[in-house]
Each structure stands twice: as C-alpha cells, then as structure tokens.
Amino acid sequence: QVQLVESGGGLVQAGGSLRLSCAASGIIFSLNNMGWYRQAPGKERELVAIIISGGSTNYADSVKGRFTISRDGAKHTVYLQMNSLKPEDTAVYYCAANVNYNSYWGQGTQVTVSS
C-alpha cells in the first residue's frame, strides 16, 4: 500500500517562510511526477508546482519566484520551499504523486499566513 505523508504546514506571518515535505512509502518501483496542490476555503483545488522525474519544474503564476519545488529520489520525497508568503497563500496543501503508474494524494497540511 503506497502512502504519501506530508509535513511542515503551520501558521506564519506574511513575508515568512515554510517548507513542506511529502514522503512516499510502501513498495515503490516507479516514481514519476510529484507535485503540490492547494485548496482554499470556497475555492477549487489548484496546482501550485510540479516536478517530473527528469527534474523539470512548472509553477502556478501566483507563486513563481517565491516557491521552489525539489525532490530527493533516494528518499522518495518532494519538498516545497515557500518564501515571501502572502495571506492569499492560506490553504490546505496537498501532495500528489504518480507512483507505480497510479496517482496518489496525501492527506493535506494546513498553511495559514497571517497579515
């Protein structure tokens, strides 16, 4: 059974930083795209950043220049470094990954940015 476990959310003041981590566990023989999504209250879930197995990345326009996605293949872990946080970044952040040619989601971690 593959699981994605996120950590690193919390409460931070505007302008601050947080680092999210998401580790995939279980029997893993293929780990391809990994990414982060977020969902704010009353809004649809949206893509924040994605990193493919070759290392290419893509970001939502709203976070370009502030967030950085990276991965550690040996640890089956993806990270999201979030700098210069804004109140509008407040949301539940979800990790997603293509593992063994199936899609999995983490349970979500709350990020709250106070003004």
Side-chain angles (χ1 to χ4, degrees):
Q1 181 75 11
V2 173
Q3 286 188 317
L4 301 181
V5 179
E6 300 135 337
S7 61
L11 173 65
V12 65
Q13 288 188 333
S17 298
L18 284 174
R19 188 192 195 207
L20 305 182
S21 300
C22 171
S25 63
I27 299 175
I28 299 170
F29 54 82
S30 176
L31 181 57
N32 297 308
N33 296 357
M34 301 185 79
W36 290 94
Y37 292 73
R38 68 186 180 187
Q39 187 166 18
K43 295 187 177 181
E44 294 186 353
R45 191 172 297 190
E46 63 175 357
L47 174 68
V48 176
I50 191 168
I51 183 166
I52 66 172
S53 57
S56 296
T57 59
N58 194 26
Y59 297 90
D61 288 343
S62 59
V63 307
K64 283 180 180 177
R66 300 188 298 121
F67 291 9
T68 302
I69 189 170
S70 61
R71 65 191 289 169
D72 184 329
K75 295 181 179 179
H76 298 153
T77 299
V78 63
Y79 305 95
L80 186 68
Q81 177 66 43
M82 305 185 293
N83 298 328
S84 302
L85 282 160
K86 304 175 181 180
E88 51 263 44
D89 293 319
T90 295
V92 177
Y93 284 69
Y94 297 91
C95 172
N98 184 286
V99 184
N100 302 339
Y101 308 108
N102 291 303
S103 295
Y104 293 89
W105 290 88
Q107 79 284 0
T109 185
Q110 177 69 46
V111 171
T112 303
V113 184
S114 63
S115 57

